[in-house]
Amino acid sequence: MTIQQLAEQIEVNPKTVERWITQGKVPYRRHQYATASVLNVDVITLWDDARSLDSATDLSKAEIVTVYPHRHVVPTDLWRQLCERAKERIDILVYAGIGLAEDPRFLSVLKAKSKSVAIRVLMGDPACEAVIRRGIDEGHRIMDGKIRNALVNYRPLFTSHPEITFRLHDTVLYNSIYRVDDEMLVNTHVYGIGAYLAPVLHLRRLPGGGLFDTFANSVQQTWEGARPVTEHDIAGA
């Protein structure tokens, strides 16, 4: 990105941006946050400034809308309501996510939104080591079976709505992540208990905050390393 392009996007004089680079001038905080947002990095990556550090910490805290102590206390309709508000994207990163896959109302929302919103569903490869290990860690040893059940439930979407993209990953997940535009539900994974008993963070992205983007980047990296779901995967489920 050129100095001119950045200046136009954050609405400052190009000479001001040039002084940040060549003279080490520290911008006003509002310009720091705007620049970090445009460049998709944390503000303290650009300016090692005590004011920036304190403010970035406060912003990250402000990105936390709610913390639920367990997934089962998250309002039942919240997952669906978030997706109904989607205008640009819906990303789902899970091993199985069987609860959503078993909800016909949620599946109906995905069908309706697929006409105008990019939808990506990332599920665990049922044969991979990470999936088998997660089943053992949760104490039931059937995570692969849950994934296969979810694939069966998603079959109508896979066959009739090709614009909804499904991939299988072999990643060790530390969180299940459900992103809708600039909102996100993060279901942490805790050793020894099922995900339904683990905490859930409801996040809303703020420019310069950093917390939301950390999880969003994890989704993207997992997506890039995953493989497309095939007819064989569906038929074998």
Side-chain angles (χ1 to χ4, degrees):
M1 181 176 292
T2 66
I3 290 176
Q4 181 68 37
Q5 290 170 333
L6 177 60
E8 289 175 356
Q9 291 205 43
I10 63 175
E11 299 180 347
V12 300
N13 190 297
K15 291 189 178 297
T16 300
V17 177
E18 187 173 357
R19 283 193 291 271
W20 300 344
I21 298 170
T22 61
Q23 300 179 24
K25 299 289 186 180
V26 178
Y28 294 120
R29 275 184 272 187
R30 66 179 183 274
H31 292 152
Q32 292 182 23
Y33 303 147
T35 302
S37 179
V38 168
L39 299 179
N40 196 28
V41 297
D42 195 297
V43 66
I44 61 174
T45 301
L46 300 175
W47 289 283
D48 185 13
D49 175 43
R51 297 174 308 160
S52 300
L53 179 59
D54 292 342
S55 298
T57 300
D58 290 341
L59 277 171
S60 292
K61 292 177 182 177
E63 289 187 301
I64 302 173
V65 178
T66 309
V67 177
Y68 298 96
H70 312 288
R71 191 182 72 195
H72 66 81
V73 302
V74 177
T76 305
D77 290 339
L78 180 57
W79 315 85
R80 177 169 47 82
Q81 290 169 356
L82 285 177
C83 290
E84 288 175 340
R85 296 201 293 264
K87 295 181 179 179
E88 296 181 0
R89 71 166 70 208
I90 297 172
D91 286 339
I92 300 172
L93 171 58
V94 294
Y95 277 135
I98 190 67
L100 296 181
E102 289 179 339
D103 183 352
R105 295 179 302 170
F106 179 76
L107 298 182
S108 295
V109 171
L110 291 186
K111 290 178 183 179
K113 284 295 180 179
S114 67
K115 298 178 176 62
S116 58
V117 172
I119 301 177
R120 304 189 298 183
V121 181
L122 267 165
M123 303 170 64
D125 187 329
C128 79
E129 181 180 350
V131 164
I132 303 303
R133 181 73 253 174
R134 181 58 188 169
I136 294 172
D137 291 347
E138 288 191 357
H140 53 63
R141 298 175 182 267
I142 59 169
M143 183 60 71
D144 55 332
K146 288 184 175 182
I147 294 171
R148 293 187 174 94
N149 285 346
L151 285 171
V152 168
N153 293 339
Y154 280 128
R155 187 195 303 264
L157 296 184
F158 182 80
T159 56
S160 63
H161 291 77
E163 63 274 19
I164 302 177
T165 51
F166 290 83
R167 289 190 182 183
L168 297 179
H169 67 87
D170 59 3
T171 309
V172 176
L173 288 187
Y174 301 100
N175 308 274
S176 296
I177 301 175
Y178 310 83
R179 177 184 181 177
V180 178
D181 296 339
D182 285 342
E183 287 191 80
M184 180 185 294
L185 294 174
V186 180
N187 187 184
T188 61
H189 292 181
V190 179
Y191 178 79
I193 62 173
Y196 72 98
L197 289 173
V200 173
L201 309 178
H202 182 182
L203 306 179
R204 182 175 292 116
R205 186 178 186 275
L206 295 174
L211 184 60
F212 183 99
D213 288 343
T214 295
F215 290 105
N217 290 338
S218 175
V219 175
Q220 183 60 33
Q221 290 185 43
T222 307
W223 179 261
E224 292 171 359
R227 67 174 180 83
V229 173
T230 65
E231 293 285 355
H232 177 75
D233 294 315
I234 298 292

